Amino acid sequence: MDILKAIVGGIIQGLTEFLPVSSSGHLAIFNNLFNFGFDDAILFTLILHLGTLVAVVIAYFKDIKELFIGFITLIVRIFSGKFKYKNLTQGERFFLLVLIATIPLIVGAVINKQIEWMSGNTKLIGVFLIINAIILFCSDHVKTGNVTEKTATPKQALIVGLFQLIGVPPGISRSGMTITGGLLNGFSRTFAVKFSFIMSIPAILGSSVFEFADAAKNRADITGSMVSMSIVGFIFAFIFGFFAIILLRMIAKNKNFYIFSIYCAIVGLLALIFG
């Protein structure tokens, strides 16, 4: 894997991890059409994910700090026998909501293992991208709600978490589905985006654990060249991931998801034609 592939991989991962256009779908298409070898570069894929993880942590550092403090104080409440949902602080409640929304990832991991073969079928990815485009177009027409982390309920968090399962196939965006799920639950557009990005942290960490295990089994493939290319990929994934987060924040406020809808429809059609 040369420097150009590392740069392209970092840019694709950084932009598409958070923009609702499916990072797995784009990486698979580039891999299939141009033989970039992403499937064989386990360490490289792992480092790309860590790059986007750092981006979301920095972008939402204040909220993540609040979540961490909420986690600590929530543990204290539980072990002291003072746990009552109505008495929880905002940080404790927010942590609990994210935890509940993460539960469906267990099912998602199982499903993902069963459908890994889809990544090799460019035409099928094209179909999923078109489906993603339709869902994004519809989400732009959902009435804006006013639910925030202060008023969201565990039931709403679980429903948003279940929307992650729709985003498991390559070509359907996890962030797009969770934002749509939030909007359908009456979330404000700002909170729907923030909740989706915060939810991406356990999702990225979970996938990284599996990738790390695979990388450990294939230590012979970890060369000096691979390490240097992974560092380059990390830098580009972080920079473009951070940019994508800021961009989506701005776009979400103005109900402009149709831009991504049109893009996904075009890429999906091209994948069907040239796949």
Side-chain angles (χ1 to χ4, degrees), residues 178-243:
T178 51
I179 291 173
T180 299
L183 293 175
L184 290 173
N185 268 284
F187 287 11
S188 68
R189 298 187 75 84
T190 301
F191 179 56
V193 171
K194 180 167 77 171
F195 194 60
S196 173
F197 286 159
I198 298 295
M199 284 171 60
S200 73
I201 295 176
I204 294 173
L205 283 174
S207 64
S208 296
V209 168
F210 288 108
E211 288 165 1
F212 180 80
D214 290 336
K217 294 177 183 177
N218 298 276
R219 284 177 291 180
D221 296 332
I222 302 177
T223 62
S225 175
M226 177 61 69
V227 172
S228 61
M229 293 305 98
S230 296
I231 293 174
V232 172
F234 173 91
I235 294 172
F236 277 85
F238 164 71
I239 293 174
F240 282 86
F242 189 82
F243 169 76

Side-chain angles (χ1 to χ4, degrees), residues 16 21 26 30 129 133 258-269:
T16 61
V21 296
H26 278 72
F30 269 82
L129 278 168
Y258 74 88
I259 297 173
F260 301 115
S261 177
I262 294 172
Y263 171 80
C264 287
I266 292 173
V267 175
L269 287 172

Side-chain angles (χ1 to χ4, degrees), residues 1-29:
M1 180 176 293
D2 57 26
I3 188 71
L4 177 60
K5 292 180 180 179
I7 292 173
V8 172
I11 293 174
I12 294 173
Q13 175 65 27
L15 287 177
T16 61
E17 178 67 38
F18 300 116
L19 298 182
V21 296
S22 178
S23 60
S24 60
H26 278 72
L27 286 172
I29 288 175

Side-chain angles (χ1 to χ4, degrees), residues 29-45:
I29 288 175
F30 269 82
N31 188 54
N32 296 340
L33 296 183
F34 303 108
N35 194 27
F36 268 27
F38 292 143
D39 288 344
D40 301 322
I42 300 173
L43 174 65
F44 180 69
T45 304

Side-chain angles (χ1 to χ4, degrees), residues 60-270:
Y60 285 99
F61 181 76
K62 181 180 178 181
D63 295 285
I64 293 170
K65 179 182 177 181
E66 184 181 28
L67 280 174
F68 181 74
I69 295 174
F71 165 69
I72 299 299
T73 56
L74 187 62
I75 294 297
V76 173
R77 280 183 183 274
I78 293 173
F79 281 96
S80 62
K82 298 179 180 179
F83 177 83
K84 286 186 178 181
Y85 185 78
K86 65 179 181 179
N87 295 331
L88 297 183
T89 65
Q90 180 174 306
E92 293 168 345
R93 189 182 300 109
F94 196 15
F95 173 81
L96 200 59
L97 293 174
V98 174
L99 179 64
I100 292 171
T102 302
I103 294 174
L105 282 178
I106 300 173
V107 179
V110 176
I111 296 174
N112 189 57
K113 283 293 182 181
Q114 302 301 317
I115 64 173
E116 284 181 339
W117 61 271
M118 291 183 178
S119 295
N121 191 323
T122 305
K123 289 183 181 294
L124 184 58
I125 295 173
V127 172
F128 284 132
L129 278 168
I130 293 173
I131 294 173
N132 190 66
I134 295 171
I135 295 175
L136 290 178
F137 179 80
C138 293
S139 71
D140 242 4
H141 294 78
V142 174
K143 184 179 179 181
T144 302
N146 55 8
V147 175
T148 67
E149 58 264 49
K150 296 179 181 179
T151 55
T153 66
K155 179 182 177 181
Q156 289 172 319
L158 180 59
I159 292 174
V160 175
L162 289 172
F163 267 78
Q164 289 185 108
L165 301 182
I166 304 175
V168 172
I172 299 184
S173 167
R174 186 207 64 83
S175 63
M177 296 309 101
T178 51
I179 291 173
T180 299
L183 293 175
L184 290 173
N185 268 284
F187 287 11
S188 68
R189 298 187 75 84
T190 301
F191 179 56
V193 171
K194 180 167 77 171
F195 194 60
S196 173
F197 286 159
I198 298 295
M199 284 171 60
S200 73
I201 295 176
I204 294 173
L205 283 174
S207 64
S208 296
V209 168
F210 288 108
E211 288 165 1
F212 180 80
D214 290 336
K217 294 177 183 177
N218 298 276
R219 284 177 291 180
D221 296 332
I222 302 177
T223 62
S225 175
M226 177 61 69
V227 172
S228 61
M229 293 305 98
S230 296
I231 293 174
V232 172
F234 173 91
I235 294 172
F236 277 85
F238 164 71
I239 293 174
F240 282 86
F242 189 82
F243 169 76
I245 292 172
I246 303 303
L247 178 63
L248 191 59
R249 280 176 176 174
M250 296 170 54
I251 291 176
K253 291 180 180 179
N254 299 313
K255 289 189 175 183
N256 286 331
F257 278 1
Y258 74 88
I259 297 173
F260 301 115
S261 177
I262 294 172
Y263 171 80
C264 287
I266 292 173
V267 175
L269 287 172
L270 291 175

